[in-house]
Amino acid sequence: MIDDVTALATIQEHSVAGRHQDCLKACQNALQANPEETYAYKYAGKSLIALGQFEKAQQCLLKAHQLDGSDPETIKDIGNVFNALQNDAEAIRLYKSALAIDPKYAPAINNLGLIAKRQGDFDSAEHLVKKAKDLDQSFAPYHMNLGAIYKELGQLDQALASTLKSLELKPDYPDALVNLGWIFQAMGNMEESTKSLQKALSISPQLPEALYLSSVSLKGVDSANFLLNKIEKVDQNTLNLSDSTKIQFAKANCFHQQKDYKNASDFLEKANEQKLLCMPSNASVLIKNIQVSANMLSFKEVSDCEQRCDQIFIVGVPRSGSTLLSAILNANPFAKDLGESRALPNAINAYSSQGKISEWRSLRDFYFDCIDEIIPPGSITVDKQLYNFIHCHYIANFMPSAKIIHATRNPLDNILSMLRANLMAGNNFTASIQDSAMVIIEQQRLMRIFNKRFPRKIYNCCYDKLVNEPKIETQKLYAWLGFDWSESCLDFHKNNQIINTASVMQVRQAISNKSVGGWRNYSLLLEPARKILLESNLFSAESLGQ
């Protein structure tokens, strides 16, 4: 009995320390002594998952489950195999099976939350991971995971607090240090961001997330060379698909900084191909929603009623210059930045399902009810949820004091920027060159309809013009909104505005037009998109910058 206890303690020690080869040897020794030793199969399965040997891991874990069907941890680990293989449905089924045995089994609850996060359902992700954290306050990864979710939700104060708590529990936790670097970037504290990432890499030099995030903020060829040397030391064979994708993006960023666009194109293409395996394109769903919106339009023209603008909606497709626009607008002292709010779709659902006429409330009322922040009196809200373009008719017809700014950009530059940005779940189509072109086409068709119906409510702001003539264009925009313009509108980069998007690095600098026409460096990669755009008859060769 003592030998069994000692063997189990040794195996657990190796497993927790990440010494997986040693763990496997210890498990093999235990099985030689007893071929039916449940814990040996269980921990061998854990180590095999960590080593990326999923088929062998599943065999060991199934054997452990066969020997002891009452252990929720083993069922959870089988779910981890499917999770690693991006088979969400089977992973979810197994995590729920583990919870059927123990409804308070925090690891399974946490993992369900992480799948929800990967799928873009951040509300469910927050609820589940917070529940896991409440069940086990002492486990650092739950706090770290919750911090990452808060970051995606734009709740950076809570993200910072949760991440710092995880580091309090586990000071040398590289994943939490990466989260911290990520949060500091969004908060505009680039010095602390760099320190956090460097510390993470000093602990775990081959950490894909830290290498990728470091590649986003490269300055100069020397820094690109230095990082590329680090990346080349990563053993690709030990990475799962998600981590391998981050490494490909990091390499693409390094080669882009070196102006080696051939290699940058190759790694960018590979990164997005792998990303689509993890997160298949959602283009068909988005295009269907756009077409439904176009088909349901009434012929009612918006009224000419002039009201003080107190809500601004910035709409468009990702990477169309919306973050720059938001930063410029937030230079107005009365502006209240809502980020990428989910308030409007929720408000429309509530508004559309109203009951009795006597209880009727305006869409504006529902909208402000759905905002999770306190809005100071006299504020002008700035909502940068780009996909609100689908709801422009609701804004125009039912929110008289609202105005819409449609962010546009050269489509080829736009697609290149989407490909390079490695955007989060919900923007899955941006990893496909062809699907990105198709979404832009459908979005442009819908916005042309809206522009004809609601010409006084929509301002079309071209990124190319904005960065080439920032003073002239910002003056025009401010005049349309009825705002007072000053030179400070162009000094947004000097402020530490919270920027919770992939455009964070660009908006930490003065306005620059260096990305305009950048698609030409990637013209071979983007050729399929160019053909699709021209065939739509919405874009000419001249409008594409050819």
Side-chain angles (χ1 to χ4, degrees), residues 1 218 263 297 484:
M1 182 65 182
L218 289 171
N263 271 318
L297 286 176
D484 293 328

Side-chain angles (χ1 to χ4, degrees), residues 140-205:
Y142 297 157
H143 295 275
M144 189 269 294
N145 292 338
L146 190 58
I149 292 166
Y150 282 138
K151 195 273 178 185
E152 295 287 9
L153 288 169
Q155 300 171 20
L156 294 192
D157 288 341
Q158 290 170 280
L160 183 60
S162 292
T163 304
L164 290 175
K165 179 62 179 179
S166 70
L167 286 166
E168 178 187 322
L169 293 167
K170 190 176 178 181
D172 291 330
Y173 189 7
D175 288 335
L177 287 165
V178 172
N179 263 13
L180 195 60
W182 194 28
I183 293 164
F184 279 134
Q185 270 193 12
M187 298 179 81
N189 192 336
M190 306 313 295
E191 183 178 350
E192 289 300 319
S193 174
T194 300
K195 285 181 183 177
S196 297
L197 294 174
Q198 288 177 345
K199 185 174 180 181
L201 288 170
S202 70
I203 299 168
S204 182

Side-chain angles (χ1 to χ4, degrees), residues 149-429:
I149 292 166
Y150 282 138
K151 195 273 178 185
E152 295 287 9
L153 288 169
Q155 300 171 20
L156 294 192
D157 288 341
Q158 290 170 280
L160 183 60
S162 292
T163 304
L164 290 175
K165 179 62 179 179
S166 70
L167 286 166
E168 178 187 322
L169 293 167
K170 190 176 178 181
D172 291 330
Y173 189 7
D175 288 335
L177 287 165
V178 172
N179 263 13
L180 195 60
W182 194 28
I183 293 164
F184 279 134
Q185 270 193 12
M187 298 179 81
N189 192 336
M190 306 313 295
E191 183 178 350
E192 289 300 319
S193 174
T194 300
K195 285 181 183 177
S196 297
L197 294 174
Q198 288 177 345
K199 185 174 180 181
L201 288 170
S202 70
I203 299 168
S204 182
Q206 298 189 7
L207 191 63
E209 186 75 31
L211 292 168
Y212 166 68
L213 204 55
S214 297
S215 77
V216 173
S217 56
L218 289 171
K219 293 183 178 179
V221 174
D222 289 343
S223 63
N225 292 340
F226 180 77
L227 185 61
L228 195 57
N229 287 333
K230 282 191 172 185
I231 294 171
E232 294 295 346
K233 296 175 183 177
V234 175
D235 184 358
Q236 298 279 333
N237 295 323
T238 65
L239 301 180
N240 60 33
L241 188 59
S242 177
D243 285 341
S244 176
T245 300
K246 292 168 189 170
I247 292 297
Q248 309 312 317
F249 273 114
K251 286 184 177 181
N253 288 338
C254 289
F255 284 118
H256 178 86
Q257 189 71 28
Q258 295 173 340
K259 294 183 169 54
D260 181 352
Y261 299 115
K262 172 62 173 65
N263 271 318
S265 292
D266 290 344
F267 283 106
L268 189 58
E269 183 174 28
K270 185 175 181 181
N272 281 290
E273 286 175 351
Q274 291 186 181
K275 185 179 177 182
L276 286 168
L277 294 176
C278 298
M279 297 191 303
S281 174
N282 61 339
S284 60
V285 173
L286 182 56
I287 288 172
K288 181 179 179 181
N289 289 339
I290 294 171
Q291 292 171 344
V292 167
S293 180
N295 292 334
M296 70 180 288
L297 286 176
S298 70
F299 288 95
K300 178 182 177 182
E301 181 66 62
V302 69
S303 70
D304 292 334
C305 177
E306 289 291 335
Q307 293 194 21
R308 175 187 178 273
C309 173
D310 60 10
Q311 301 111 47
I312 298 172
F313 293 89
I314 302 175
V315 303
V317 295
R319 308 295 292 174
S320 57
S322 58
T323 302
L324 174 59
L325 269 172
S326 178
I328 290 169
L329 293 173
N330 287 321
N332 184 313
F334 296 103
K336 171 60 178 175
D337 183 21
L338 301 180
E340 297 180 354
S341 170
R342 291 157 293 163
L344 183 62
N346 293 336
I348 290 171
N349 287 337
Y351 175 79
S352 302
S353 60
Q354 288 187 94
K356 300 177 183 178
I357 296 296
S358 60
E359 298 173 357
W360 185 87
R361 301 176 69 217
S362 71
L363 179 58
R364 183 183 184 277
D365 292 336
F366 281 110
Y367 178 72
F368 281 104
D369 284 349
C370 292
I371 294 172
D372 295 329
E373 301 181 50
I374 296 174
I375 308 299
S379 294
I380 302 159
T381 59
V382 180
D383 187 327
K384 198 176 74 72
Q385 174 50 258
L386 291 170
Y387 297 113
N388 281 338
F389 73 80
I390 294 175
H391 308 302
C392 281
H393 51 306
Y394 278 101
I395 300 170
N397 278 316
F398 304 115
M399 300 181 75
S401 59
K403 290 194 173 184
I404 300 163
I405 303 174
H406 177 210
T408 66
R409 187 179 186 181
N410 178 305
L412 292 175
D413 278 337
N414 204 156
I415 292 170
L416 174 61
S417 188
M418 289 193 288
L419 289 171
R420 295 192 62 223
N422 188 22
L423 298 176
M424 65 182 185
N427 304 293
N428 306 19
F429 73 91

Side-chain angles (χ1 to χ4, degrees), residues 456-474:
R456 297 175 183 83
K457 298 287 283 189
I458 301 174
Y459 185 95
N460 296 289
C461 185
C462 175
Y463 174 85
D464 302 51
K465 290 181 180 179
L466 181 60
V467 297
N468 282 323
E469 297 182 314
K471 185 172 183 177
I472 293 173
E473 293 301 317
T474 54

